[in-house]
Amino acid sequence: MPTPLITDKPLAFVDIETNGGSVSNGKITEIAIICYDGITVSTYTSLINPESPVPAYIQQLTGISNDMLSDAPVFAEVAETIRQKLDGHIFVAHNVRFDYGFIKNAFKRLDIAFKAPLLCTVKLSRKLYPQYQRHGLDQLIQRHQLQTSARHRAYDDAHAIMQFWQIIERTFTPEHLAKAVKSIMLSPSLPAHIDAEIIESIPNTFGVYLFYGDNNLPIYIGKSNRLRQRILSHFSSDYALPKEMSISMQIKRIEHIVCAGEVDALLTESRLIKERMPTMNRQLRRNKSVFSWLLNESQPGLWIPSLVSGQDVELGVNPHLYGLYDTANDACIALRQIIKEEKLCAQTLGLEKGKPGTPCFARQLKKCNGACVGLETHSEHSKRLITAMAKQHIKPWPYKGISLLREGTVTHVIHQWCYLGTAHNQDELHTILQSGTGDFSRDTYRILLKHRHKLIPLDNHELCLD
């Protein structure tokens, strides 16, 4: 039957409440679907048992207690009803990525594929009312005097966004509203606060991007050789990945830095993460120290490991260093694993007490090849140890002094695997050479080791950068 809607399908205004978990492991506790074809309205609402306790702060926010959910159906029992209600409709929600992500993943747990066209009322409000800065549901309720009695309950919130739709139907011409809806539904899948024009202005080249939330501290920093494409990839996968969904829910603005090439992007990303400490970049954040195993020849043919930190030795200089670990405990666990796999002797290595010539504990269990009792020479034992640790060997700095790495219009200054700085002109280069210092870090070492063929010793390099 023809309807006066400006969309080609009827609308389903959806809102859910959850137990506060992420999109991958969180559960729905309440759902409301209000179907609207421009003339008639039909409503479906249900509490849903998440099969796990709801945190107290969520109960306080929503008013939905564990007692209320104890006799409610689980999602599997209402899944078919929900699917039928949403079938053939445009899925409309306030910050639609959140509601859609939870529902899509709830279906996925049941091995049911679910997909629907999406319309976000946050984006629609921003499009139609650009004079306002804030477009949260609380702001819409106050701004448009929407009627609601139980905020953070699924039906009341879904009803509020339906009221908003009915208001804009009366406020704007069908042509104007249809154009706004079409532009939002055809635009790339972006978080509600990110304008597609901003994404389009980002070049698809080497660079670093910074995602910000409500303040000036970035929540995530990344790099790519195709900057715009990488940023968009975060938002195309956010329905399935909890990290991407979390970014999508928090992000308010994006900054980007164009880089001269791959090394420039990698070094810039590493430097900014250590400086700005974004909450969602844990792997490259600054560690208090880096630990390694230093092999020393305690007697002819016998090499013994001792644990050292980057504060104790020059990590880029000593040729007998193995492994880069965040903590001393990580280093010990890694070495113990090698000893176990290779049937080495912890007593011979000085890691276990025992009298010379007596079997170690592992030997008594036939888990040591017998260096402790002379069945294996010290040289043979040490050779097996060094071979097993070879993949973790820290390559010593191959030059006497500083080296340069030219990339496009910039020059990176490197010494003993430490990044000292990047120069864009002759003056900057001389400043770095005179005063530049850098700390050894695991990620910088790995970046530079991979690109070591590009390093040129300073004595052999043409210094003119102009």
Side-chain angles (χ1 to χ4, degrees):
M1 181 179 69
T3 73
L5 280 176
I6 55 92
T7 56
D8 60 351
K9 294 181 179 180
L11 307 176
F13 299 96
V14 183
D15 189 80
I16 62 169
E17 302 303 326
T18 74
N19 62 0
S22 68
V23 67
S24 64
N25 56 32
K27 299 293 184 65
I28 299 169
T29 57
E30 187 177 38
I31 186 170
I33 303 170
I34 303 177
C35 297
Y36 177 62
D37 63 5
I39 299 175
T40 60
V41 175
S42 64
T43 299
Y44 171 79
T45 182
S46 177
L47 291 171
I48 297 177
N49 188 337
E51 301 179 273
S52 61
V54 177
Y57 77 97
I58 297 293
Q59 296 184 58
Q60 185 176 4
L61 175 69
T62 64
I64 301 173
S65 67
N66 287 316
D67 288 341
M68 293 168 61
L69 297 171
S70 61
D71 295 327
V74 298
F75 186 84
E77 295 176 287
V78 295
E80 181 57 24
T81 301
I82 292 171
R83 189 193 64 78
Q84 290 178 8
K85 292 287 184 182
L86 295 174
D87 187 40
H89 289 68
I90 295 174
F91 188 113
V92 187
H94 208 65
N95 202 344
V96 71
R97 305 169 73 82
F98 177 84
D99 302 81
Y100 182 71
F102 266 87
I103 292 174
K104 185 178 180 68
N105 277 278
F107 277 115
K108 184 178 180 180
R109 294 186 194 103
L110 302 175
D111 293 323
I112 299 173
F114 174 74
K115 189 174 183 179
L118 307 180
L119 177 60
C120 179
T121 47
V122 175
K123 292 183 179 181
L124 192 56
S125 179
R126 290 178 65 230
K127 189 79 172 178
L128 297 173
Y129 299 97
Q131 67 271 33
Y132 298 109
Q133 290 187 340
R134 298 176 67 87
H135 298 269
L137 190 53
D138 287 327
Q139 284 75 40
L140 264 62
I141 290 171
Q142 182 179 13
R143 188 177 301 148
H144 301 288
Q145 298 182 331
L146 308 179
Q147 301 302 307
T148 181
S149 59
R151 183 73 173 89
H152 297 296
R153 288 301 299 269
Y155 174 77
D156 283 80
D157 288 356
H159 187 234
I161 60 175
M162 188 186 77
Q163 292 176 67
F164 171 69
W165 175 266
Q166 292 172 328
I167 286 173
I168 62 178
E169 275 189 314
R170 298 192 297 269
T171 304
F172 298 94
T173 65
E175 294 77 16
H176 185 79
L177 184 55
K179 183 178 179 181
V181 169
K182 183 178 180 180
S183 68
I184 292 169
M185 294 186 69
L186 291 180
S187 64
S189 179
L190 298 175
H193 296 280
I194 302 300
D195 195 321
E197 293 182 2
I198 294 176
I199 301 297
E200 285 301 314
S201 69
I202 298 174
N204 218 22
T205 185
F206 288 101
V208 172
Y209 55 95
L210 300 89
F211 291 162
Y212 291 88
D214 290 318
N215 53 41
N216 290 324
L217 295 176
I219 58 175
Y220 185 79
I221 297 174
K223 56 89 183 59
S224 179
N225 61 345
R226 296 176 65 84
L227 199 53
R228 186 188 330 116
Q229 183 175 315
R230 178 68 185 104
I231 291 172
L232 286 172
S233 72
H234 280 280
F235 311 132
S236 63
S237 60
D238 65 358
Y239 300 126
L241 303 176
K243 180 177 180 181
E244 305 295 16
M245 175 59 83
S246 181
I247 289 174
S248 182
M249 293 300 297
Q250 296 180 60
I251 188 171
K252 296 297 189 296
R253 63 186 178 92
I254 299 172
E255 289 182 359
H256 72 277
I257 301 170
V258 174
C259 296
E262 182 180 6
V263 177
D264 193 22
L266 289 165
L267 293 174
T268 301
E269 177 199 35
S270 176
R271 173 177 58 81
L272 288 175
I273 289 173
K274 289 173 175 58
E275 290 175 357
R276 309 296 296 277
M277 299 289 284
T279 56
M280 303 191 75
N281 290 90
R282 299 191 182 277
Q283 187 173 355
L284 297 184
R285 287 168 66 165
R286 184 186 300 276
N287 296 310
K288 293 181 180 179
S289 188
V290 177
F291 292 86
S292 294
W293 288 107
L294 174 63
L295 296 187
N296 297 293
E297 193 172 20
S298 63
Q299 54 182 280
L302 179 61
W303 290 82
I304 301 295
S306 59
L307 188 61
V308 296
S309 75
Q311 299 170 348
D312 302 326
V313 296
E314 293 182 284
L315 291 175
V317 177
N318 195 298
H320 303 299
L321 288 166
Y322 294 82
L324 294 170
Y325 305 97
D326 292 336
T327 66
N329 187 54
D330 290 343
C332 291
I333 290 173
L335 182 58
R336 289 287 182 183
Q337 185 63 29
I338 289 174
I339 291 171
K340 179 180 178 181
E341 291 175 354
E342 300 298 326
K343 293 188 175 182
L344 297 168
C345 182
Q347 182 174 295
T348 300
L349 294 175
L351 302 175
E352 180 183 305
K353 292 182 179 179
K355 295 181 180 179
T358 61
C360 68
F361 180 71
R363 178 61 190 168
Q364 297 174 47
L365 300 176
K366 297 182 179 181
K367 295 182 179 180
C368 162
N369 281 0
C372 48
V373 291
L375 296 179
E376 184 177 39
T377 67
H378 287 166
S379 295
E380 291 171 338
H381 186 269
S382 295
K383 183 179 180 180
R384 292 199 303 114
L385 171 67
I386 294 171
T387 300
M389 297 182 71
K391 290 183 179 179
Q392 302 177 45
H393 184 224
I394 301 174
K395 301 292 189 295
W397 181 243
Y399 307 109
K400 292 182 179 180
I402 289 174
S403 286
L404 305 181
L405 193 158
R406 290 294 298 268
E407 192 174 37
T409 60
V410 304
T411 298
H412 309 295
V413 184
I414 315 296
H415 184 46
Q416 295 178 354
W417 302 118
C418 297
Y419 167 65
L420 307 186
T422 295
H424 297 80
N425 54 52
Q426 194 78 12
D427 290 339
E428 289 183 3
L429 176 59
H430 283 295
T431 298
I432 294 171
L433 292 175
Q434 291 173 7
S435 60
T437 58
D439 296 326
F440 186 99
S441 71
R442 178 171 56 186
D443 53 293
T444 301
Y445 166 73
R446 289 174 175 169
I447 292 167
L448 297 174
L449 185 65
K450 180 181 177 181
H451 296 273
R452 63 186 180 276
H453 61 283
K454 301 177 184 178
L455 294 169
I456 302 176
L458 180 60
D459 292 343
N460 300 340
H461 201 279
E462 176 58 54
L463 285 183
C464 182
L465 303 184
D466 299 327

